[in-house]
């Protein structure tokens, strides 16, 4: 029989299919002797059926007539070698994936053969067999529709009672192998998106709904692992390890899976996920960790928590979940800790009520304190910033009873850069979350002015409430009444379902109060000197979203603070014109102006949530040599970023449009008696090999290599905002002329005559560009600042007088260069005249 298998036949013929099936029917047991034939026969049958589907329907008719699917099941039962099981699964996967005929798919899925194979007890200790089995299941799911899915389920009274494809698949949903998890997620989504009502009821009802609970718990486990990795990594080095980035990607993939699940539109699943997220993650883990100095143990750091909240809001599009998270910000964090207990699986739950014997004491203590807190919060409705002193007068402990919304604002006012960035990101994400009701945004104090005016206009048109009065009044920017009914509904739901004390929210405060608090926090942020410029830009984006037209809601106190901060950064900018990098100040201002304008006028935040985590390393302080010009250059870039933002905020606060370019004077002509003119240089960047006059140049010696001194003529020149230290070789045949051999930046040279050798002049030679402006790509594709260091020149002159003359030349040309930078900056600083700050420029330049 085995020799006959190898006889010459048309391989892609019906006769070949007939022969192979006949041989399979004759086999009574599959062992090591005949396994190769069986494996090859199964492989060939898959090829023939796929070929016949595209060319000749007789192939599949024969397949049905001989009931080959049943034969496959029989072969599996009598097989001992694992190779046969592997080939059978591969054969069926190939057939299911490649068959185009709906009739063929209907036949394969009927007669319970597929369900038998799905539920067959394979030995999954064999990793290869598991991989083939998962591919088989995924191939089946790829052919699901409202017609085919009915062939794979068992029903009773129109209810699905058995669905092996789904129930067997989700057994591997949390497998350690990522490829397996990915395949199961794809399979489950194929099931959900069929849209079969009875199947939807099946997956959303117990015990199968337990899958969604386990999925959220698995996500909680990922969150805790990420937090641990971040905590360990911050102790070990200045850069985030690749493991953190991998975990972040996997965690966000899980959230996108949740999003895909909800997009299938299964009503009960959205409710289940919302409940599980709130019960296992948001209330017991994320919100309590936002407290500034918690008196209780937290399992997730505040920065990781801020990142996770942003991720959930940004990716998972469930209205109740988004609104519940937002409503949770109106509670102090202690209420979630006090009403949560440890479960056996290690996750906290806020579903379980507190001990009845303790409830009266907790409520009485909370009520008294919350009444004082409520009165304290109502006082802020006048629009003034809430201050800690007021809380002390009300005998309220800020640390123990302030709502999380206020905690986020305190991070913006007083937190470190990462806390500021995280809090701004939370507010920005809430603002961009379409699932949030506008009344919720209004209650948080972040409803954009244009949306509020639209809302009031609609209310006035339909005659609801005082919409018309508010629309045309000076106080139309916010509601005068208390928190909205929509928010009240979510607050009550949290209290009822999660056993939160009914006296734990800011029930007395109004949206108008909250809006002023947000504005106060943002203005305080813009006045801070210890926050990087790009983080301030994120605050600028949020401010522009709230106040698209500028001056409407700025109080006189706000304007004073903005002017003071602008005065401070103007001084800092003028100092940089006398620093180590004046030649790059104008270029950086122009570049950063465009970037800042794009950032604050963008329709959406420019940063992804993961930037919150990564910023912990981005702004990691590194020890740099105190004499290096590199930190000075990076500081100058920061000064420019802050100046640009505050300048644009000044224009914004006056209701002016932001110009595309900053106002800077054009470069003027060089004086006829300047060294640049005298030497004949007419280029901004002198290149080696360029000829020039060396009348003013001083002879000197320098050794670029040990023991190899060279003779040059030294010249310092400034041309506009550029300045250069030049070493030229005198031309022997052309008197008073030379060839440039070396040119280095003039600015930041820090000339110094040697104490012991008065003929020696020490110069620092800084790079021509700042490392962060000239990044390089690493082997793994990451962009990093180019490694740069300062150089050193020691010039030896003929006598002490020549050395002093060289020093004076450098100082004089450096002053000319700085003066030109200030001259070109003057139009940009003319804004001060309109703000009553015109004395700053005159004072700084005169000094």
């Amino acid at each position: 029989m085995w020799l006959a298998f190898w006889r010459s036949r048309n391989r892609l013929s019906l006769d070949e299919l007939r022969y192979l099936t006949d041989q399979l029917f004759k086999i009574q047991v599959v062992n090591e002797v005949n396994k190769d034939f069986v494996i090859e026969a199964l492989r060939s049958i898959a090829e023939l059926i796929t070929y016949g589907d595209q060319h000749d329907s007789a192939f599949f008719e024969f397949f049905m007539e001989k009931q080959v699917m049943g034969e496959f099941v029989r072969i599996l039962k009598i097989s001992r070698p694992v190779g046969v099981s592997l080939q059978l699964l591969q054969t069926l996967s190939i057939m299911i994936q490649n068959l185009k005929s709906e009739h063929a798919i209907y036949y394969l899925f009927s007669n319970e053969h597929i369900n038998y194979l799905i539920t067959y007890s394979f030995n999954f200790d064999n990793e290869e067999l598991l991989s083939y089995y998962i591919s088989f299941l995924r191939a089946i799911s790829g052919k699901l529709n409202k017609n085919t899915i009915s062939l794979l389920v068992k029903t009773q009274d129109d209810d699905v009672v058995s669905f092996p494809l789904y129930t067997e698949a989700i057994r591997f949903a949390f497998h350690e192998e990522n490829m397996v998890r990915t395949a199961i997620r794809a399979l489950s989504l194929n099931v959900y998106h069929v849209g079969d009502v009875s199947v939807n009821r099946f997956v959303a009802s117990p015990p199968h709904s337990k899958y969604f609970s386990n999925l959220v718990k698995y996500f909680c486990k990922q969150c805790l692992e990420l937090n641990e990795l971040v905590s360990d990594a911050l102790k070990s080095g200045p850069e985030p390890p690749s493991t953190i980035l991998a975990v972040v990607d996997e965690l966000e993939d899980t959230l996108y899976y949740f999003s895909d699940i909800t997009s299938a539109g299964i009503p009960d699943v959205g409710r289940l996920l919302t409940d599980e997220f709130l019960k296992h993650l948001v209330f017991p883990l994320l919100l309590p960790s936002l407290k500034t100095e918690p008196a209780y143990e937290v399992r997730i750091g505040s920065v990781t928590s801020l990142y996770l909240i942003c991720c959930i809001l940004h990716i998972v599009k469930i209205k109740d979940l988004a609104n519940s998270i937002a409503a949770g910000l109106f509670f102090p964090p202690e209420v979630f800790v006090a009403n949560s207990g440890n479960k056996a699986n290690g996750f906290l739950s806020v579903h379980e009520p507190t001990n009845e014997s303790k409830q009266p004491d907790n409520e009485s203590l909370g009520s008294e304190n919350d009444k004082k807190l409520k009165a304290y919060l109502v006082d802020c409705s006048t629009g003034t910033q809430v201050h800690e002193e007021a809380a002390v007068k009300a005998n309220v402990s800020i640390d123990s009873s302030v709502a999380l919304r206020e905690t986020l604002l305190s991070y913006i006012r007083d937190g470190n850069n990462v806390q500021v960035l995280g809090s701004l990101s939370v507010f920005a994400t809430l603002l961009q979350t379409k699932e949030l009701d506008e009344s919720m945004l209004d209650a948080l104090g972040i409803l954009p002015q244009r949306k509020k005016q639209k809302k009031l206009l609609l209310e006035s048109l339909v005659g609801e409430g005082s919409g018309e009065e508010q629309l045309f009044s000076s106080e139309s920017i916010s509601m005068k009444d208390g928190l909205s009914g929509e928010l009240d509904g979510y607050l009550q739901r949290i209290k009822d379902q999660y056993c939160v004390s009914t006296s734990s929210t800011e029930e007395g405060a109004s949206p108008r109060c909250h809006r002023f608090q947000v504005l106060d926090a943002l203005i305080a942020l813009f006045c801070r000197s210890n926050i990087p410029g790009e983080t301030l830009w994120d605050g600028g984006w949020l401010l522009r979203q709230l106040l698209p037209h500028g001056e409407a809601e700025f109080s006189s106190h706000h304007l004073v603070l903005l002017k003071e901060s602008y005065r401070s950064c103007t001084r800092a900018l003028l100092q940089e014109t006398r620093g180590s990098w004046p030649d790059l100040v104008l270029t950086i201002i122009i570049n950063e102006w465009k970037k800042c304008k794009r950032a604050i006028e963008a329709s959406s935040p420019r940063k992804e949530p993961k930037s919150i985590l990564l910023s912990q390393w981005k702004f990691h302080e590194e020890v740099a040599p105190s004499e290096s010009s590199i930190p000075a250059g990076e500081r100058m870039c920061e000064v420019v970023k802050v100046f640009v933002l505050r300048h644009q905020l000044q224009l914004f606060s006056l209701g002016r449009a932001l110009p595309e370019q900053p106002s800077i004077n054009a470069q003027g002509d060089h004086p006829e008696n300047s060294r640049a003119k005298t030497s004949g240089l007419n280029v901004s960047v002198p290149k080696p090999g360029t000829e020039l006059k060396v009348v003013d140049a001083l002879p000197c010696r320098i050794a670029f290599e040990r023991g190899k001194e060279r003779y040059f003529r030294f010249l310092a020149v400034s041309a506009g905002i550029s300045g250069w230290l030049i070493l030229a070789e005198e031309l022997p045949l052309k008197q008073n002329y030379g060839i440039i051999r070396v040119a280095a930046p003039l600015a930041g040279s820090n000339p110094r005559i040697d104490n012991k050798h008065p003929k020696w002049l020490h110069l620092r030679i800084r790079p021509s560009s700042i490392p962060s402006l000239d990044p390089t790509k690493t082997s793994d594709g990451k962009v990093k600042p180019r490694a740069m260091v300062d150089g050193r020149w020691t010039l030896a002159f003929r006598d002490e007088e020549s050395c002093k003359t060289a020093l004076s030349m450098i100082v004089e040309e450096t002053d000319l260069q700085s003066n030109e930078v200030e001259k070109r900056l003057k139009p940009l600083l003319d804004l001060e005249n309109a703000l009553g700050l015109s004395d700053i420029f005159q004072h700084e330049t005169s000094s």
Side-chain angles (χ1 to χ4, degrees):
M1 178 178 73
W2 317 124
L3 292 176
F5 178 73
W6 301 106
R7 70 189 183 194
S8 177
R9 285 188 307 274
N10 183 357
R11 189 170 58 85
L12 298 176
S13 66
L14 190 58
D15 288 340
E16 178 73 4
L17 179 60
R18 184 177 292 108
Y19 170 76
L20 292 173
T21 54
D22 287 344
Q23 296 303 317
L24 285 180
F25 278 121
K26 295 176 182 179
I27 294 175
Q28 299 303 313
V29 64
V30 181
N31 51 32
E32 294 296 326
V33 176
N34 59 1
K35 70 172 185 179
D36 291 339
F37 167 76
V38 174
I39 290 172
E40 181 61 25
L42 292 172
R43 188 199 64 77
S44 298
I45 288 174
E47 184 180 11
L48 286 165
I49 294 300
T50 303
Y51 172 83
D53 184 65
Q54 300 174 13
H55 298 88
D56 188 349
S57 61
F59 281 75
F60 199 80
E61 290 174 2
F62 177 82
F63 184 87
M64 292 188 294
E65 178 186 344
K66 294 298 182 179
Q67 298 185 6
V68 180
M69 278 296 293
E71 186 62 19
F72 285 168
V73 171
R74 187 185 72 84
I75 290 295
L76 179 63
K77 291 178 179 179
I78 63 174
S79 297
R80 295 176 183 174
V82 69
V84 175
S85 299
L86 289 172
Q87 185 57 57
L88 179 60
L89 291 172
Q90 186 182 47
T91 293
L92 289 168
S93 297
I94 292 172
M95 289 173 56
I96 293 170
Q97 286 174 341
N98 291 283
L99 289 176
K100 306 298 182 185
S101 168
E102 289 189 8
H103 176 65
I105 294 296
Y106 291 162
Y107 175 78
L108 289 180
F109 286 4
S110 61
N111 298 321
E112 286 295 310
H113 294 311
I114 290 292
N115 279 342
Y116 179 84
L117 293 171
I118 290 172
T119 56
Y120 186 80
S121 298
F122 293 102
N123 179 15
F124 292 126
D125 290 338
N126 186 311
E127 293 183 3
E128 187 178 12
L129 182 59
L130 175 61
S131 177
Y132 277 70
Y133 176 75
I134 297 299
S135 297
F136 168 61
L137 297 184
R138 186 169 181 178
I140 297 171
S141 73
K143 296 295 182 179
L144 291 179
N145 55 45
K146 289 189 176 181
N147 294 321
T148 56
I149 199 169
S150 61
L151 302 172
L152 299 173
V153 301
K154 291 182 179 179
T155 60
Q156 182 177 340
D157 298 330
D158 295 329
D159 289 329
V160 175
V161 294
S162 175
F163 189 9
L165 174 65
Y166 181 74
T167 54
E168 292 299 316
I170 60 175
R171 289 174 50 206
F172 301 96
F174 309 107
H175 195 271
E176 60 184 10
E177 179 60 45
N178 184 53
M179 294 295 290
V180 174
R181 296 196 304 271
T182 301
I184 297 305
R185 289 180 182 182
L187 181 153
S188 63
L189 291 176
N190 287 338
V191 171
Y192 304 147
H193 282 273
V194 167
D196 185 277
V197 176
S198 58
V199 171
N200 288 349
R201 284 200 304 268
F202 176 81
V203 301
S205 48
H208 315 293
S209 59
K210 185 72 174 175
Y211 169 64
F212 301 107
S213 176
N214 291 335
L215 193 61
V216 174
K217 291 178 182 178
Y218 174 78
F219 179 73
C220 291
K221 179 173 174 287
Q222 287 181 303
C223 295
L224 294 171
E225 289 175 353
L226 173 64
N227 183 71
E228 186 176 352
L229 278 174
V230 169
S231 178
D232 293 341
L234 285 172
K235 301 173 185 176
S236 60
E239 292 186 4
S242 57
T243 50
I244 287 183
L245 299 176
V247 170
V248 165
D249 289 341
E250 186 177 351
L251 186 145
E252 292 186 5
D253 284 343
T254 302
L255 284 176
Y256 278 111
Y257 176 51
F258 283 122
S259 179
D260 291 338
I261 291 174
T262 58
S263 68
I266 307 175
D268 289 340
V269 169
R271 180 187 55 77
L272 283 170
L273 289 177
T274 296
D275 187 57
E276 295 299 324
F277 263 107
L278 298 177
K279 181 172 62 174
H280 294 294
L281 181 63
V282 175
F283 291 154
L285 293 179
L286 300 187
L287 296 187
S289 69
L290 297 181
K291 188 172 175 61
T292 50
E293 295 181 1
Y296 46 82
E297 182 181 357
V298 295
R299 300 178 63 189
I300 292 184
S302 60
V303 176
T304 305
S305 181
L306 290 167
Y307 158 71
L308 291 171
I309 290 172
C310 289
C311 268
I312 294 170
L313 291 170
H314 177 68
I315 297 174
V316 184
K317 306 299 183 182
I318 304 178
K319 179 179 179 180
D320 280 349
L321 178 60
N323 282 278
S324 295
I325 292 175
L329 298 178
F330 290 90
F331 290 90
E334 291 81 7
V335 300
F336 301 113
V337 177
N339 293 282
S340 63
N342 288 319
K343 285 194 128 187
N345 60 13
F347 293 106
L348 294 171
S349 170
V350 296
H351 231 22
E352 300 169 8
T354 54
N355 191 299
E356 289 183 4
S357 62
K358 296 183 179 180
Q359 276 184 349
D361 290 338
N362 287 340
E363 289 184 2
S364 60
L365 290 173
S367 301
E368 191 63 31
N369 199 39
D370 288 330
K371 286 178 182 177
K372 297 178 181 179
L373 174 63
K374 184 186 300 184
Y376 149 66
L377 287 168
V378 171
D379 287 341
C380 74
S381 61
T382 58
T384 57
Q385 184 175 351
V386 178
H387 295 290
E388 185 175 350
E389 291 80 6
V392 173
K393 291 178 182 178
N395 197 24
V396 177
S397 172
I398 285 286
D399 291 336
S400 64
S401 55
V402 166
L404 287 168
R405 184 195 60 81
E406 173 61 22
T407 299
L408 294 179
L409 295 178
S410 71
Y411 280 147
I412 294 174
R413 292 190 300 265
D414 306 310
N416 59 38
N417 174 66
V418 183
Q419 292 170 330
V420 171
L421 180 60
S423 299
L424 289 173
S425 297
V426 169
F427 283 120
T429 307
L430 288 166
L431 195 59
Q432 292 282 298
T433 302
K434 296 180 180 178
E435 290 72 27
L436 272 184
D437 290 291
E438 288 189 0
S439 57
M440 187 72 74
L441 294 176
D442 198 21
L444 288 166
I446 57 173
L447 180 64
Q449 190 181 54
R450 62 183 182 277
K451 289 187 176 181
K452 173 166 284 294
Q453 291 177 337
K454 178 181 176 182
K455 175 183 175 184
L456 294 174
L457 177 61
L458 290 174
E459 289 179 356
S460 67
L461 290 175
V462 298
E464 290 186 3
S466 57
E468 184 175 359
E469 176 189 348
Q470 292 186 49
L471 180 63
F472 299 105
S473 70
S474 59
E475 296 181 346
S476 65
I477 53 176
S478 192
M479 296 191 315
K480 297 179 182 179
D481 55 352
L483 301 181
S484 72
E486 191 72 32
L487 173 60
D488 287 341
Y490 280 101
L491 293 177
Q492 192 60 47
R493 187 180 305 178
I494 292 174
K495 294 170 184 177
D496 293 342
Q497 295 184 5
Y498 302 98
C499 306
V500 174
S501 171
T502 58
S503 57
S504 303
T505 60
E506 301 174 284
E507 294 173 299
S510 71
R512 184 166 182 263
C513 160
H514 293 170
R515 189 174 184 83
F516 272 109
Q517 286 179 325
V518 174
L519 289 178
D520 285 342
L522 289 175
I523 298 300
L525 170 65
F526 299 139
C527 298
R528 296 183 61 181
S529 59
N530 60 343
I531 300 298
E534 291 199 5
T535 303
L536 297 180
W537 291 5
D538 295 330
W541 179 88
L542 183 58
L543 182 68
R544 284 298 298 262
Q545 292 296 309
L546 299 180
L547 308 175
H549 305 299
E551 75 279 11
E553 288 187 57
F554 286 115
S555 67
S556 58
H557 181 60
H558 291 158
L559 296 176
V560 169
L561 291 175
L562 289 175
K563 288 177 184 179
E564 290 295 329
S565 65
Y566 181 70
R567 180 181 289 120
S568 173
C569 69
T570 301
R571 293 194 190 99
L573 180 64
L574 288 171
Q575 288 175 2
E576 291 301 329
T577 64
R578 301 284 170 180
S580 299
W581 300 83
D583 48 331
L584 293 185
V585 167
L586 295 179
T587 300
I588 295 175
I589 284 177
I590 293 171
N591 292 336
E592 298 301 331
W593 182 278
K594 296 176 183 177
K595 292 179 184 177
C596 182
K597 186 175 185 295
R598 282 199 302 267
I600 67 177
E601 291 183 347
S603 59
S604 59
R606 59 199 177 96
K607 294 178 181 177
E608 296 181 347
K610 69 177 68 175
S611 66
I612 302 171
L613 282 180
L614 301 183
S615 65
Q616 297 177 96
W617 289 273
K618 183 176 180 181
F619 296 104
H620 183 84
E621 293 186 2
E622 298 181 4
V623 178
S626 58
E627 297 181 356
S628 172
S629 70
I630 307 301
E634 301 295 344
R635 183 183 65 247
M636 185 269 290
C637 289
E638 272 302 310
V639 169
V640 169
K641 288 178 181 179
V642 174
F643 170 80
V644 164
L645 173 74
R646 290 179 179 173
H647 187 95
Q648 293 187 5
L649 285 177
Q650 287 294 301
L651 294 172
F652 178 62
S653 67
L654 296 174
R656 301 179 189 175
L658 299 182
E660 294 296 327
Q661 297 278 356
S663 301
I664 294 176
N665 274 331
Q667 181 170 322
D669 296 330
H670 308 315
E672 290 297 327
N673 60 348
S674 68
R675 289 190 176 89
K677 284 279 188 179
T678 305
S679 63
L681 279 177
N682 56 4
V683 293
S684 59
V685 183
K687 297 180 180 179
T690 303
E691 187 178 293
L692 81 165
K693 294 180 181 180
V694 291
V695 177
D696 297 329
L698 300 170
C700 67
R701 306 188 314 275
I702 185 173
F704 290 112
E705 298 179 50
R706 184 180 294 274
K708 294 184 179 181
E709 277 193 342
R710 297 179 63 182
Y711 289 85
F712 291 105
R713 299 291 290 265
F714 171 75
L715 184 67
V717 297
S718 63
I721 63 172
S722 300
W724 299 93
L725 303 172
I726 295 174
L727 297 178
E729 283 186 342
E730 194 169 2
L731 291 174
L733 301 180
K734 195 172 182 180
Q735 190 176 6
N736 293 329
Y737 279 85
I739 296 292
I740 297 176
R741 294 304 181 195
V742 184
L746 169 66
S749 56
N750 289 2
R752 178 179 59 85
I753 296 176
D754 191 273
N755 293 330
K756 295 182 179 179
H757 303 86
K759 299 179 183 179
W760 291 4
L761 182 65
H762 298 289
L763 301 175
R764 180 181 70 183
I765 306 302
R766 45 142 260 233
S768 59
S769 179
I770 299 172
S772 60
L773 302 180
D774 188 21
T776 182
K777 279 193 175 182
T778 60
S779 57
D780 56 358
K782 295 180 180 178
V783 177
K784 297 182 66 175
R786 194 180 299 275
M788 296 180 183
V789 294
D790 292 330
R792 291 288 185 272
W793 285 2
T794 300
L795 304 178
F797 293 91
R798 292 176 178 175
D799 49 47
E800 296 180 19
E801 189 63 31
S802 296
C803 188
K804 291 179 181 178
T805 302
L807 175 63
S808 298
M809 184 192 306
I810 294 173
V811 172
E812 182 181 339
E813 293 298 319
T814 301
D815 285 342
L816 290 173
Q817 181 184 18
S818 297
N819 290 340
E820 179 64 21
V821 175
E822 291 179 357
K823 178 181 176 182
R824 296 187 63 185
L825 272 177
K826 192 169 184 179
L828 188 63
L829 303 177
D830 274 347
L831 178 64
E832 297 173 344
N833 296 325
L835 303 177
L837 307 175
S838 57
D839 59 313
I840 294 178
F841 183 82
Q842 295 173 0
H843 172 74
E844 292 293 336
T845 53
S846 62
S847 61

